Amino acid sequence: MHLQSCSTQAIYSREDWKRGYLSQTQESAYWIDDIEGEIPPDLTGTLFRVGPGLLNIGDYPVNHPFDGDGMACAIAFKDGRAFFQNRFVRTQGFVEEREAGKPLYRGVFGTQKPGGWLANLFDLRLKNIANTNIIHWGGKLLALWEAAEPHRLDPHTLETQGLDRLDGLLDTGDAFSAHPHIDPASQFDDGKPVLVNFSVNPGLSTDITIYEFAPDGTLLRQHTHAIPGFAFLHDMAITPNYCVFFQNPVTFNPLPYLLGFRGAAECVKFDPDAPTKIVLIPRDGSRNVKIVETEPCFVFHHANAWEDNGEVVVDSICYESFPQPDSDSDFRDVDFSQIPEGQLWNFRVNLQNENVRHEVIERRCCEFPVLHPETVGRKNRYLFMGIAHPERGNAPLQGVMKVDRETGTSQVWSFAPRGFGGEPAFVPRPGATEEDDGWVLLLVYDAEKHRSKLAIFDAKSIDAGPIAQLNLKYHIPYGLHGSFTSEYFGR
Ligand code: CO
């Protein structure tokens, strides 16, 4: 049933929402046979997703879902059928802690070892939890976590093959962002696709390293730039000429972290009086980095960026202030009304006079924007993103929205009251020419059955509801990011 609602009242139950954060310890692999509707026969390829699979270690709950051990999922489509599998990434920390039955590492988001602050004092070892994104590039399936090296997985079985230092590019413990972007036609590489990623080494001044990789995984370009001040950079956007970063107005006081009271991310504080800085790094490796200021806001994710007549245009999910993790309360008890919601903003940076204009495109609470892969770095017409059910105010993501940037119209589907979503994926129909000719895939936690389902939409008519719903046998805790490859990696 599709519930229409214009109210700002929560129509979900908090108990329902919280159960989507229960750990999933079951690893499985099966053909999905509980299907409502029909899987499009021309939908071929594999949807990979990753997110925290364990929300407790033994009897100890993690302090924040971002600290949860990474579990990879794959749904492979061929000839109207779908094969599902999920598997934990066997990181060193996961294996050790499963053996020990308790946390042995501190989490960046405040999960502490048992024993109080003394046990955590000056313990700066990070557990690489491989829970943020998963990509297939250069013949490798890589699970990413921004503060350390990728883990390589077997795309057919999701078995962990170990840390992958990208043919010696990364040293032990080197950062490698979880938000690479694929330029579908790089002007520096005869119009071939390249994968652009970055790593951040924050401090009093922050080093940003840009990497660009050919489709076979070969490194094409690498350059490092120092920008002033501490920077928390989770994502970037790319254009044909630039990597675009938003340096959020935050300060970092490491003392509570060093002393063992707080996780590192809990020591980041939003400064409402400082500007947000937009950092434009030329992709050709030249040194003329541009830094321009705009009013304070906080960005985790960008939707897209492009160049238009001397301007760099960026669409981003913006928060009016930083939703600071609070270690004294359980994240499951979060008061949504006390935290600003993400909204879709548009920024236009004039490269000549360095003037920045911005406007709010969509006020409804949203996150996890995705688009047609051929429009990355180019002006896109359509955007798909996770949305909350109420039209105003902060709430859990329960649906999907298609935004038409040309007409300013949108289409919505909501799984409220008992379904909860996350990041959608857009898959172009093979041979299609129109930007919205394809499918939108969304993993939904169905609280009624306490299991998850994959909803498949015709991207042209999101508001008609899913054309197929594939009911999984178990629930998948709310995930973070994923990607689709047209290669089939089922059985
Ligand atoms: Co992210």
Side-chain angles (χ1 to χ4, degrees):
M1 183 176 63
H2 184 212
L3 293 164
Q4 298 288 341
S5 169
C6 296
S7 90
T8 55
Q9 297 299 307
I11 67 157
Y12 65 96
S13 112
R14 177 173 288 264
E15 288 311 307
D16 276 356
W17 173 73
K18 280 162 80 163
R19 290 204 303 152
Y21 274 126
L22 289 175
S23 294
Q24 177 55 273
T25 53
Q26 178 87 23
E27 296 181 310
S28 44
Y30 55 88
W31 287 100
I32 303 172
D33 55 16
D34 183 355
I35 298 169
E36 298 159 48
E38 217 169 290
I39 301 173
D42 46 351
L43 172 57
T44 305
T46 309
L47 175 69
F48 290 109
R49 293 202 46 79
V50 75
L54 279 189
L55 286 308
N56 60 286
I57 298 163
D59 293 333
Y60 303 90
V62 301
N63 195 61
H64 191 283
F66 293 171
D67 278 346
D69 286 299
M71 185 181 77
C73 298
I75 304 180
F77 302 91
K78 195 168 108 179
D79 303 327
R81 299 183 70 201
F83 188 82
F84 172 85
Q85 49 189 326
N86 70 305
R87 236 179 134 77
F88 278 95
V89 184
R90 264 54 175 186
T91 66
Q92 188 191 334
F94 173 83
V95 172
E96 290 173 356
E97 289 181 337
R98 195 168 59 163
E99 186 84 7
K102 64 177 185 182
L104 301 173
Y105 294 82
R106 301 173 65 192
V108 173
F109 287 85
T111 301
Q112 301 281 53
K113 296 185 292 182
W117 66 271
L118 209 55
N120 293 281
L121 180 70
F122 297 123
D123 182 354
L124 307 185
R125 295 178 309 151
L126 292 177
K127 181 171 64 156
N128 180 344
I129 48 179
N131 72 357
T132 313
N133 202 352
I134 182 166
I135 55 160
H136 187 252
W137 186 261
K140 293 176 180 177
L141 181 64
L142 300 174
L144 305 177
W145 184 65
E146 66 195 26
E149 321 88 300
H151 280 81
R152 185 173 178 179
L153 311 181
D154 181 327
H156 294 280
T157 63
L158 300 181
E159 271 170 54
T160 305
Q161 297 173 320
L163 287 172
D164 193 291
R165 301 212 167 92
L166 306 174
D167 304 320
L169 179 64
L170 304 178
D171 283 330
T172 303
D174 271 0
F176 192 68
S177 157
H179 277 290
H181 294 269
I182 297 170
D183 179 342
S186 166
Q187 61 177 344
F188 307 113
D189 307 281
D190 305 321
K192 295 196 180 73
V194 301
L195 182 122
V196 189
N197 201 12
F198 65 99
S199 67
V200 184
N201 190 3
L204 292 174
S205 125
T206 296
D207 284 341
I208 304 175
T209 301
I210 307 291
Y211 308 94
E212 305 211 6
F213 301 93
D216 67 359
T218 312
L219 181 70
L220 297 165
R221 283 172 292 283
Q222 174 184 0
H223 38 99
T224 301
H225 306 263
I227 60 165
F230 171 82
F232 168 83
L233 305 168
H234 174 68
D235 189 14
M236 66 169 174
I238 58 169
T239 72
N241 287 296
Y242 294 100
C243 291
V244 183
F245 295 88
F246 276 38
Q247 189 180 4
N248 298 302
V250 293
T251 54
F252 181 64
N253 170 14
L255 211 58
Y257 171 56
L258 295 173
L259 294 179
F261 293 114
R262 294 278 186 271
E266 294 173 304
C267 302
V268 175
K269 197 169 183 310
F270 186 78
D271 180 357
D273 300 320
T276 287
K277 293 176 183 165
I278 301 176
V279 180
L280 302 172
I281 298 181
R283 282 179 52 193
D284 66 5
S286 68
R287 297 281 114 189
N288 47 342
V289 174
K290 263 189 201 303
I291 302 179
V292 301
E293 295 187 353
T294 185
E295 73 176 55
C297 60
F298 195 92
V299 173
F300 285 109
H301 298 123
H302 299 288
N304 199 20
W306 62 92
E307 293 163 32
D308 178 31
N309 230 346
E311 290 185 318
V312 170
V313 188
V314 194
D315 281 354
S316 310
I317 308 291
C318 257
Y319 297 80
E320 282 184 350
S321 65
F322 178 59
Q324 190 164 15
D326 173 7
S327 44
D328 299 327
S329 64
D330 191 319
F331 70 89
R332 298 166 187 86
D333 298 323
V334 60
D335 181 353
F336 281 94
S337 69
Q338 293 303 306
I339 304 175
E341 67 273 30
Q343 298 178 321
L344 180 64
W345 290 26
N346 170 260
F347 297 83
R348 299 188 77 94
V349 182
N350 186 309
L351 293 172
Q352 254 42 62
N353 62 20
E354 305 197 343
N355 187 18
V356 183
R357 288 177 293 145
H358 71 80
E359 62 175 326
V360 182
I361 303 296
E362 178 55 56
R363 294 190 182 278
R364 187 173 185 143
C365 172
C366 55
E367 250 301 352
F368 300 129
V370 297
L371 66 169
H372 192 300
E374 293 293 325
T375 63
V376 171
R378 284 85 185 145
K379 190 176 192 312
N380 60 301
R381 176 166 177 183
Y382 300 107
L383 201 58
F384 303 90
M385 50 196 194
I387 49 144
H389 183 80
E391 289 181 10
R392 292 290 179 270
N394 196 6
L397 301 180
Q398 294 199 275
V400 61
M401 174 182 270
K402 173 188 183 182
V403 181
D404 184 335
R405 294 284 279 106
E406 204 169 292
T407 64
T409 58
S410 61
Q411 290 183 7
V412 162
W413 186 261
S414 169
F415 291 90
R418 305 204 71 184
F420 298 87
E423 180 190 66
F426 175 81
V427 181
R429 188 189 306 276
T433 53
E434 291 172 290
E435 195 187 312
D436 63 345
D437 190 358
W439 304 281
V440 169
L441 313 182
L442 181 71
L443 202 55
V444 177
Y445 170 64
D446 181 349
E448 189 184 343
K449 299 175 179 136
H450 186 50
R451 60 189 196 184
S452 296
K453 62 185 177 185
L454 185 84
I456 304 176
F457 294 85
D458 180 338
K460 281 189 176 291
S461 30
I462 296 295
D463 52 6
I467 54 173
Q469 300 194 73
L470 288 57
N471 295 309
L472 305 182
K473 293 185 176 171
Y474 310 102
H475 85 287
I476 306 296
Y478 303 124
L480 290 168
H481 299 289
S483 55
F484 187 89
T485 166
S486 56
E487 280 185 64
Y488 174 79
F489 287 113
R491 295 283 161 88

